[in-house]
Amino acid sequence: MATDVAELQSKKPHIVVLSSPGMGHVIPLFEFAKRLVLLHGCHVTFLNITTEASVAQIQLLHSPNLPLGLSVVDFPPVDLSGMVTDHTLALTRLSVNVQQSLLSLKSMLLQLHRPQAVVIDLFCTQAFEICKELSIPTFMFFTASTHLLAFSLLLPQLDRDVTGEFVDLAAPIQVPGCSPVRTQDLLDQVRDRKSDDYKWYLYHLSRVPMADGVFLNTWEDLEQLPVRAIREHSFYKKMLTAPVCSIGPVIKETEPVTGRGTECLAWLEEQPANSVVFVALGSGGTLSAEQLTELAWGLELSRQRFIWVVRTPNDANACAAFFDVGGEMNDPKSYLPERFIERTGGRGLVVPSWAPQVAVLQHRSTAAFLSHCGWNSVLESLAHGVPIIAWPLYSEQRMNATTLAEEVGVAVKVAGEKAERRVVGREEIERAVRLMVEGREGMEMRQRAMKLQESAMKALGYSGSSHESLARVAEQWKATLKN
Ligand code: UDP
């Protein structure tokens, strides 16, 4: 393997980073890997689960410009036929894929001469036993909010104590040291306790305490209560005895921009400062045909500038693009309202499937982000001082949207009350977009987002809390190398 030579020649700790497939996990773990190499003197091998990897994932991990000291090693593909079908829920499909792929993990770690540590995401917890057998410490990088982690660590207890569905509880769920979670905001994976997705979520979650350390992708000013609770509340202290470090925001810093991405940025250059709404629903998000039409009309009626990452509508599934994002060939004209592109041309830009999100959020012309509130999108938006029009779709995004709107004050919610399953009308969308770009409330939210941007930069700076936390762990890894 390519890593061997570099590793043998160097005195740097060798860390393996392992992510489950899906851009929402691969992007932050890959970024984490780069930071270990560029800022903390480590060698990193990133293990890539190739089965069901999207085109976007393949392009990211096989880009030619990886920093020296970072290599990507592919898992052999596995055959999932007979284990999953087209109807298998997303987390179950992903977990079965990971389980089968990790059958090769032991031999890969041996070939890599037993690294100093392995860092995994939440859905690779089968790695704990394998690494233990090889005496390799295993850390977890939690890719979602710390509030979600706090809620989820409560799950084994809720599972024992509550009969019936959590969504039917009469009151919000009290989370030690944190804001309660309203039942309508509960993540999809815990809304049906008979589902396979629930069983997998509970399985992975119950195993978090096996980690030798937990990295949180957050910073204290953004999530003060949850970060403190996880570190200091007796409920979590008893459960998580290993160190817990907030090291975020770990987000893409720059990204290679090619093809349509270049077009996107060239178009942004032509627009006035703080004038464009960026509309993108994460790596998997899709809308129903009816909802897509309303969103198109809402954007058009608002008369504001926009960049819209569009995907073929799907009436049955809100995350239909999850497994093939970036590869989908879609023709927006075939599903957008007739002549929408012509009518909004000059004021709006439609980009099929995928756009360079961070580069767009960094741009001075971007005023607001209409987002599904996946945690990476939230971090990327706030780290660039951009307020959010929250349109949660799946997973834990409703929780994120509520916190951002009601506690942090950087978002306005237009959709996402699960119980309603309603189509959000064009007037409501028009109002939210106008409010965010032209209104006083939008300006206030932008100011709060900009304060968070400042504090994020401070946390990541050389003596900042996030940088220091990761530096301390890297020092420990280096110390084990000397022994
Ligand atoms: N993303 C992007 N371009 C797109 C859509 C998404 O670069 O057109 C990236 C985005 O920057 C983020 C990730 O994909 O890093 C999505 O992660 P998030 O947690 O927001 O949502 P998920 O895809 O997991 O639902």
Side-chain angles (χ1 to χ4, degrees), residues 300-313:
E300 184 172 346
L301 292 170
S302 78
R303 307 203 61 77
Q304 303 300 322
R305 294 177 170 81
F306 64 85
I307 293 181
W308 183 9
V309 181
V310 287
R311 303 210 172 111
T312 310

Side-chain angles (χ1 to χ4, degrees), residues 219 221-222 367-371 373 375 377-379 381-391 400-413 432 435-436 441-453 455:
W219 73 105
D221 287 345
L222 178 62
F369 184 12
L370 192 156
S371 166
C373 297
W375 191 242
S377 294
V378 168
L379 295 176
S381 202
L382 298 180
H384 295 102
V386 178
I388 295 171
I389 302 170
W391 192 303
N400 297 342
T402 297
T403 309
L404 295 174
E406 292 172 18
E407 292 175 32
V408 192
V410 290
V412 59
K413 272 208 281 187
L435 171 140
M436 215 40 141
E441 267 173 282
M443 204 173 67
E444 285 165 5
M445 287 187 227
R446 188 163 318 121
Q447 279 164 357
R448 281 193 282 271
M450 283 162 74
K451 280 217 172 94
L452 282 168
Q453 174 182 25
S455 80

Side-chain angles (χ1 to χ4, degrees), residues 87-330:
H87 303 293
T88 307
L89 293 171
L91 177 58
T92 304
R93 191 181 183 106
L94 187 128
S95 297
V96 171
N97 178 4
V98 169
Q99 188 173 45
Q100 292 307 306
S101 298
L102 294 199
L103 295 176
S104 318
L105 181 63
K106 184 175 171 186
S107 64
M108 289 170 88
L109 292 173
L110 288 172
Q111 272 182 298
L112 291 166
H113 306 289
R114 294 178 203 245
Q116 259 68 44
V118 173
V119 182
I120 63 171
D121 74 344
L122 178 63
F123 302 134
C124 289
T125 64
Q126 291 93 344
F128 282 130
E129 283 83 2
I130 300 163
C131 294
K132 191 161 184 205
E133 199 188 324
L134 299 175
S135 305
I136 304 172
T138 316
F139 292 70
M140 175 164 294
F141 181 109
F142 195 74
T143 52
S145 74
T146 303
H147 191 197
L148 179 70
L149 177 63
F151 165 79
S152 303
L153 288 171
L154 192 63
L155 205 56
Q157 182 181 313
L158 289 174
D159 190 65
R160 281 190 300 273
D161 296 350
V162 175
T163 42
E165 293 293 348
F166 305 132
V167 281
D168 296 330
L169 288 170
I173 297 175
Q174 299 300 324
V175 182
C178 304
S179 309
V181 177
R182 305 180 319 176
T183 53
Q184 63 265 42
D185 289 340
L186 281 172
L187 65 156
D188 290 339
Q189 288 79 5
V190 307
R191 300 182 79 86
D192 173 6
R193 292 174 69 185
K194 291 176 289 305
S195 72
D196 287 339
D197 266 17
Y198 175 72
K199 288 169 196 149
W200 275 111
Y201 194 73
L202 184 62
Y203 167 82
H204 289 301
L205 237 299
S206 330
R207 294 159 60 82
V208 173
M210 293 167 79
D212 291 289
V214 178
F215 296 115
L216 305 174
N217 196 3
T218 196
W219 73 105
E220 243 168 273
D221 287 345
L222 178 62
E223 288 202 277
Q224 226 166 50
L225 288 183
V227 170
R228 266 196 217 150
I230 291 278
R231 278 210 208 108
E232 294 166 20
H233 195 287
S234 56
F235 178 81
Y236 299 109
K237 273 178 88 169
K238 261 188 261 154
M239 187 185 294
L240 285 181
T241 48
V244 179
C245 325
S246 43
I247 59 162
V250 179
I251 53 170
K252 272 181 283 184
E253 283 185 355
T254 51
E255 52 191 333
V257 179
T258 51
R260 282 188 195 281
T262 317
E263 196 187 314
C264 226
L265 294 183
W267 184 85
L268 266 180
E269 276 297 308
E270 305 291 309
Q271 313 307 318
N274 279 331
S275 68
V276 176
V277 178
F278 177 53
V279 183
L281 302 170
S283 57
T286 43
L287 300 173
S288 67
E290 192 183 357
Q291 184 61 83
L292 189 98
T293 302
E294 289 305 304
L295 177 53
W297 278 109
L299 289 171
E300 184 172 346
L301 292 170
S302 78
R303 307 203 61 77
Q304 303 300 322
R305 294 177 170 81
F306 64 85
I307 293 181
W308 183 9
V309 181
V310 287
R311 303 210 172 111
T312 310
N314 189 303
D315 288 349
N317 189 354
C319 60
F322 192 82
F323 289 109
D324 71 349
V325 69
E328 182 199 19
M329 292 310 289
N330 75 59

